[in-house]
Amino acid sequence: MRLLFLKRPFDIALSFVGIIISFPLWVIFGLIIWLEDRGSVFYIQERLGKNGKVFKALKFRSMIKDAEKQEGPIQAKENDRRVTKAGRFLRSTAMDELPQLYNILKGEMSFVGPRALRPQEIEIKNSGNHTTALNELPGYAVRHSVKPGLTGLTQVFLSRDVPIKKKFRYDLLYLKKMSFWFDLKLIFLSFWITFRGRWESRQKKV
């Protein structure tokens, strides 16, 4: 049984409890981020939700100020010079995503689902010599038939450097396998990856 009717109540309950329990971490991380360069603690990004609806995702800032001023909305690369010292830890443990518990509580995201893409996001290949708009790739529209997730099949089993086409295939596979029990399994694996600090690993995470 898929029991998908439990997905939203579970999101509400877990995100509410998660915000309360993790609040001391919000204070600690916020202070560390601010002390490093006196910049803003939070970073607000426009993301695409269910049916392509734009919402504002809340994250702890893990990059330098104006990190995307030159290149625009692209994913961080290995040893990306834009990532701050505090940001390296936050990204390896996915703690930079902690404020998105608020987006889950609001119903803009779910705990499990495809990664929330950015409007006009592009993929850069061949050392910057070729770019691809993600909305041109197969599966782009279908993956927006559900809410994006804080974690998911793609995030758990693939590295950041895998081509976007393969990530989209994993997103579509999640849509086929989606169930409440499958979500619980992915959440458990996500906690394990966070505990090991392997979210930024270019090798196997689990």
Side-chain angles (χ1 to χ4, degrees), residues 1-108:
M1 296 178 64
R2 292 197 169 196
L3 301 177
L4 290 176
F5 66 91
L6 295 174
K7 191 174 178 70
R8 180 56 186 155
F10 179 79
D11 283 345
I12 294 172
L14 191 58
S15 59
F16 181 75
V17 172
I19 290 172
I20 293 175
I21 293 176
S22 66
F23 184 73
L25 293 177
W26 291 51
V27 176
I28 294 170
F29 293 153
L31 182 61
I32 292 173
I33 293 167
W34 183 79
L35 286 174
E36 182 168 349
D37 60 9
R38 299 300 194 273
S40 60
V41 170
F42 297 106
Y43 182 56
I44 299 175
Q45 290 182 329
E46 285 193 342
R47 297 279 180 139
L48 298 174
K50 186 175 180 180
N51 299 322
K53 182 179 180 180
V54 177
F55 69 95
K56 296 186 182 298
L58 186 64
K59 301 179 65 176
F60 284 123
R61 182 173 60 86
S62 62
M63 291 189 175
I64 60 174
K65 305 172 188 176
D66 300 320
E68 296 180 334
K69 191 173 183 180
Q70 299 296 326
E71 297 178 304
I74 61 173
Q75 291 190 54
K77 304 179 286 290
E78 188 173 10
N79 301 318
D80 198 313
R81 290 180 296 178
R82 299 174 300 165
V83 179
T84 63
K85 293 178 181 178
R88 291 192 187 97
F89 169 78
L90 292 173
R91 295 174 74 91
S92 68
T93 57
M95 287 294 135
D96 61 320
E97 311 280 355
L98 195 59
Q100 290 183 19
L101 290 174
Y102 176 67
N103 294 112
I104 295 173
L105 187 62
K106 287 178 64 180
E108 296 166 331

